[in-house]
Amino acid sequence: EYVEIISQGTIDARRLATYPTFQVASPLVNSYSVGASIINFGPAALFTGGDPVTYFGGNKWKFWMPLHQELLLLATPEIRLYGKAFPGPEIGQQWFDEFLVAFPDDTPIVKVRVKQHESNGTAWISRRCSSPRFETLQIHLGQDASPLKDMRHLEYTAGKSVRFEVNCRNQAARTEYLYFETPSLVFVITSSHAYVDFRDRPELAFKYMHLDFIVMEALRPQTFSGILPEIWDLQPRSALVNAMLQPPEGMPQPSKVSPEPEPVQVCEAKAPADCVA
């Protein structure tokens, strides 16, 4: 089936903040007043990424995906999100290297992969977003076999209810991302290095570049389905998801700890909903 994806120009509303501070336009779930200035130093209430971990409603779960398998992470009335994990150098280390966003009938909207670099090829890190060349993401629109060649900072629409933007932010390293809006879900797919796992080995932190999935707004998440809503206890857990919550054989059982601050993208809450980073 042919899916028309139209370029319509730059986004004027619901954009990511340019800096790690933002003004609250309406009260948040917690006790922040209108007009308060907030700096996000740690994970939002809802985050899926890392190796992988996910946050929801103040809780944190570590889970392990079957490697190199495309699995349904999240389904809403408008889209289905599939993810694929790849392994790290040690037992239990893994990250997402591919996401597929599709319509409910599984017709592809966009597929995002981590762009591979040579292990010693880190010159791209210093390139700023003024360069149109993709450095960390490989993006395929619809069923196109060829990836996008240049970053055009444009908005795309798919069907009647999905629109998204491909863009870049200048941070400690160049950060490329896709920003999606649907009636039920506003989210970001972004490239990320593995600094949390390799604080003293920057070459490994960039070798294991991966993707993170950040939910900015969610409407009635209790109606969503897939692996993540099961992990979040919004849906009954399947045998597959229960198995994902158990450490791989050969890896010691981690002790239960409270969520730790990690560098994440800015999450702007505009409605009383959990925010996923």
Side-chain angles (χ1 to χ4, degrees), residues 112-145:
V112 189
R113 296 189 178 105
V114 174
K115 188 174 182 179
Q116 298 299 318
H117 293 269
E118 297 295 331
S119 59
N120 59 351
T122 56
W124 59 270
I125 297 172
S126 61
R127 296 194 183 108
R128 311 307 286 167
C129 289
S130 56
S131 170
R133 175 181 173 182
F134 282 101
E135 300 291 351
T136 61
L137 296 182
Q138 181 176 308
I139 299 170
H140 298 257
L141 297 180
Q143 301 184 34
D144 197 338

Side-chain angles (χ1 to χ4, degrees), residues 189-263:
I189 294 174
T190 180
S191 60
S192 180
H193 55 69
Y195 174 74
V196 171
D197 297 272
F198 304 108
R199 297 179 184 274
D200 299 322
R201 299 287 303 277
E203 73 282 4
L204 291 181
F206 288 102
K207 178 180 179 180
Y208 291 98
M209 287 286 299
H210 56 275
L211 301 176
D212 286 342
F213 166 65
I214 305 169
V215 173
M216 313 296 286
E217 301 175 24
L219 179 64
R220 295 187 294 274
Q222 67 274 13
T223 65
F224 299 168
S225 60
I227 289 171
L228 292 177
E230 291 184 31
I231 292 177
W232 300 333
D233 284 328
L234 298 179
Q235 300 294 341
R237 287 180 180 169
S238 62
L240 175 63
V241 168
N242 281 326
M244 289 182 183
L245 296 171
Q246 301 303 314
E249 185 176 353
M251 179 180 175
Q253 179 74 34
S255 57
K256 186 176 181 180
V257 295
S258 58
E260 299 175 355
E262 299 177 10

Side-chain angles (χ1 to χ4, degrees), residues 22 24 69 72 75 119 212 226:
F22 56 91
V24 178
Q69 297 184 34
L72 179 62
S119 59
D212 286 342

Side-chain angles (χ1 to χ4, degrees), residues 68-72 82-84 98 100 111:
H68 308 299
Q69 297 184 34
E70 189 175 85
L71 299 175
L72 179 62
Y82 294 87
K84 187 183 295 185
E98 183 178 303
L100 169 65
K111 177 173 285 188

